[in-house]
Structures are given as C-alpha cells and as structure tokens.
Amino acid sequence: TLEEIAHGLLGAIKAHRSLFSKGHILHRDISERNVLLGEPGSCQGFLIDLDMAALDARSSEDTSAYRTDSVVDGSPPFKRSRQFLEKESEQPSNDFGAESGEAISEDQGDLESEAHKAHRTGTIPYMASGVLQGQAPSVQHDLESFFYVLYLVPFSYDSPLPGRKLDDWPDTIEAWCNGDLYECGSRKKANVMDAKWMFQQLKDNTSEEWRRDHRFFYRLLGLVARLYSPVLNALAASTNAEKETVAALLSGKIPSKEPTNVFLRHEDLIEPLEAWLELPSDQQEMPPAMRRAYSVELETAGSGKRTFIDTLRAAKDD
C-alpha cells in the first residue's frame, strides 16, 4: 500500500538521521535497493548497505549545529584503498537495468594518498544532481536521493501490487542516467526544477495500472508532492546561490560565504511524510486545483475505467 511505502521511506530517513547525528556516518548510496519495507502492518522501514558510507572526519568537533557543507571523508585508509582497488580496473557505468542500477564510486586521487576520497558515489538513477556534477557528497545530497526513491517507484514496477519489475524506463527518465555524468546531473536538475514536467511524467509514462484507480493515483501524487516541495525549494536556493556567486566573480566582487537560507534537513522530509500518514485517505490526494495546474487530472473522476475483462466479470457477478 502507499502507507507501507511511506512508512518504509520514513523509517529509512530516520535511520539515516541516526547514522549521521549519532555515528557521524554519511550513507552516500541511497537507492531503492537499500531501503527496505517492514513486515505488512509493522509501520517500519530500514536502511541497509554501508559499503559506500563515509565516516565524517570532523566527528570529534562540535556537531550540535546542523551543517550544510559536504562531509570530509574520515574513513580508515584501508577502507578508501579497498574501494579504489575494487574499482580501479572498472569504468563507472551509466547502465542500469532490472535491478535499478549498480552502485558506482568514481574515485579520484592517488592510491598512496590518505586524502583519497570518492567524489561521485552512489547508484546513478538515484544520485543527487549535485553529486553527478562532481560535488562532494553531503547530507542534503542523500536526502535528495530519498525523494528519487519515492518518485521512481511507479516507473520501476508495472503495477502497485503485486508489481513486476520493469526492464526499461521511459526515455525521458533514462536520459538522467545516460552519457557524461556531469551532463546527466545538469539534465536531472533542470527536469526536477520543472514541477509540471515532473508530475506529467507520472501521468504520461507510468503503467496504466498505476492510474487505473484514480483515487489511488491522486493519493500517490499527493505523497510525491509532499516530499517534492522541500527538495524543489532546496534546489532553487542552491541555483540562486550559484548565480549570485558567478555574478559576483564577473563583477570583481568577493562571493558571499554565507550559507543559503534554504537547505534540506531530515525533518523537512520526515514531517511531510508523518503528516500525510495521519490524514484520512481523501485528504491525502493532490488537491484538484493543483492537478489542473500541472495537467495531471485524469479523464474521469472516481475509481477509474475498468478493463474489458473486469467489465465482463462485474456483469457476471451482477
């Protein structure tokens, strides 16, 4: 159910918060395969696989303030060297298939150097646009990836339940993962910052089974919108900060070192998920005005059109 998906994501985000705030560990590979749902009815979710995780080198410092900067990899040298050795003979792949992509680590630096760290780490379809563009991983990047875990579920399975894994994604989504990683990040950021484009992909390019029950689909849109809003705000703030920096450099001024006013915190994703879960089902839906604004209103209201075979079965039952 959508509630189970929301609970699974909620549990994984809380686990990520605990890892970072208590263990000073950044996961760096948030993907569908690393977020597990609990048993039906358990209202649980889990975050697994720390193979790409990094220990924050500043863990001995005062971490009471919520930092927005990237983590300085303080993992033991043997862990960084092992990651390098495992990947040195492989080129980072942009391919992904039925398993939703392979984890990659685009390593930079000398094997002998203890300063070596992976700048591009993760599973490509779920990687934050900034990481794809070469930025060092941060908490905000991991949180952005949690949104992609939710958003890409309808493109990964042919139906909500039982849901068979799809081999191919729509070309518009696959474009996020093909070609030069920097260009992938640029395309992804541009697409994600276009709200109408994002929601129309769900209407136009997901399997019909996701839209068969209209109320279910509108609830899905409502859930996606809850997590999308803080991610969009953070990306917009980041883009504005980048523009201001470039403008300052071109004018010969010193760029401001003040952090952007809008950035992602764990609570920015936890609170909307908890609020959505507390609502009655009819209030979980994306509001009609928003559906019309994004052109995602389905053809008919109600439970959706029945397939031909369902119509026959209903007639037989009657």
Side-chain angles (χ1 to χ4, degrees), residues 23-26 53-59 71-76:
H24 312 292
I25 295 170
L26 186 65
L55 179 66
D56 191 349
R58 297 162 298 191
S59 58
V71 164
V72 176
D73 192 350
S75 304

Side-chain angles (χ1 to χ4, degrees), residues 56-91:
D56 191 349
R58 297 162 298 191
S59 58
S60 60
E61 301 176 7
D62 179 15
T63 58
S64 57
Y66 197 95
R67 289 201 308 270
T68 63
D69 52 344
S70 55
V71 164
V72 176
D73 192 350
S75 304
F78 77 87
K79 182 178 187 293
R80 298 198 297 272
S81 297
R82 178 169 57 82
Q83 285 184 355
F84 181 82
L85 288 169
E86 288 175 348
K87 298 294 180 180
E88 64 176 344
S89 61
E90 304 173 13
Q91 292 297 320

Side-chain angles (χ1 to χ4, degrees), residues 251-267:
S251 63
K253 299 178 181 179
I254 299 176
S256 173
K257 294 184 179 180
E258 293 296 321
T260 56
N261 293 327
V262 181
F263 53 87
L264 281 175
R265 301 173 184 261
H266 290 93
E267 286 69 22

Side-chain angles (χ1 to χ4, degrees), residues 2 5 150-151 153-154 199 202 206 210 214-226 276 284-286:
L2 286 178
I5 292 174
L150 172 64
Y151 182 78
V153 164
F199 286 109
L202 290 169
T206 56
W210 286 91
H214 290 199
R215 295 308 177 196
F216 176 90
F217 181 67
Y218 293 152
R219 289 174 60 227
L220 170 65
L221 293 180
L223 177 58
V224 170
R226 291 267 179 168
W276 185 87
Q284 292 175 335
E285 298 177 13
M286 176 183 277

Side-chain angles (χ1 to χ4, degrees), residues 6 9-11 13-14 17 143 223 226-227 230 264-279:
L9 202 59
L10 180 62
I13 294 171
K14 288 182 175 180
R17 179 180 62 181
L143 294 178
L223 177 58
R226 291 267 179 168
L227 256 63
L264 281 175
R265 301 173 184 261
H266 290 93
E267 286 69 22
D268 293 329
L269 301 186
I270 290 173
E271 291 174 4
L273 282 171
E274 290 180 335
W276 185 87
L277 284 164
E278 290 174 359
L279 292 173

Side-chain angles (χ1 to χ4, degrees), residues 140-312:
Q140 286 69 46
H141 292 138
D142 272 10
L143 294 178
E144 183 182 336
S145 293
F146 276 115
F147 167 71
Y148 299 135
V149 171
L150 172 64
Y151 182 78
L152 293 175
V153 164
F155 300 98
S156 303
Y157 297 90
D158 63 352
S159 67
L161 189 68
R164 181 178 59 84
K165 193 77 172 180
L166 295 174
D167 292 331
D168 298 307
W169 286 0
D171 292 340
T172 51
I173 300 298
E174 192 170 349
W176 289 359
C177 316
N178 288 335
D180 176 78
L181 291 182
Y182 186 90
E183 291 300 322
C184 289
S186 298
R187 285 195 299 268
K188 191 171 195 175
K189 188 172 184 178
N191 290 153
V192 175
M193 291 184 65
D194 184 344
K196 189 170 184 179
W197 185 93
M198 289 287 284
F199 286 109
Q200 285 184 342
Q201 296 307 303
L202 290 169
K203 178 188 176 185
D204 298 338
N205 290 320
T206 56
S207 167
E208 184 180 352
E209 286 300 311
W210 286 91
R211 303 185 300 277
R212 181 179 172 190
D213 184 333
H214 290 199
R215 295 308 177 196
F216 176 90
F217 181 67
Y218 293 152
R219 289 174 60 227
L220 170 65
L221 293 180
L223 177 58
V224 170
R226 291 267 179 168
L227 256 63
Y228 178 54
S229 180
V231 171
L232 180 60
N233 290 340
L235 287 175
S238 172
T239 299
N240 290 336
E242 291 171 2
K243 290 180 179 178
E244 291 173 2
T245 299
V246 171
L249 290 171
L250 292 176
S251 63
K253 299 178 181 179
I254 299 176
S256 173
K257 294 184 179 180
E258 293 296 321
T260 56
N261 293 327
V262 181
F263 53 87
L264 281 175
R265 301 173 184 261
H266 290 93
E267 286 69 22
D268 293 329
L269 301 186
I270 290 173
E271 291 174 4
L273 282 171
E274 290 180 335
W276 185 87
L277 284 164
E278 290 174 359
L279 292 173
S281 60
D282 60 329
Q283 295 181 29
Q284 292 175 335
E285 298 177 13
M286 176 183 277
M290 187 181 293
R291 300 199 301 259
R292 289 191 293 271
Y294 293 140
S295 302
V296 291
E297 193 83 41
L298 298 180
E299 292 181 4
T300 58
S303 60
K305 295 181 178 180
R306 284 177 167 175
T307 62
F308 177 70
I309 189 66
D310 282 347
T311 303
L312 292 179

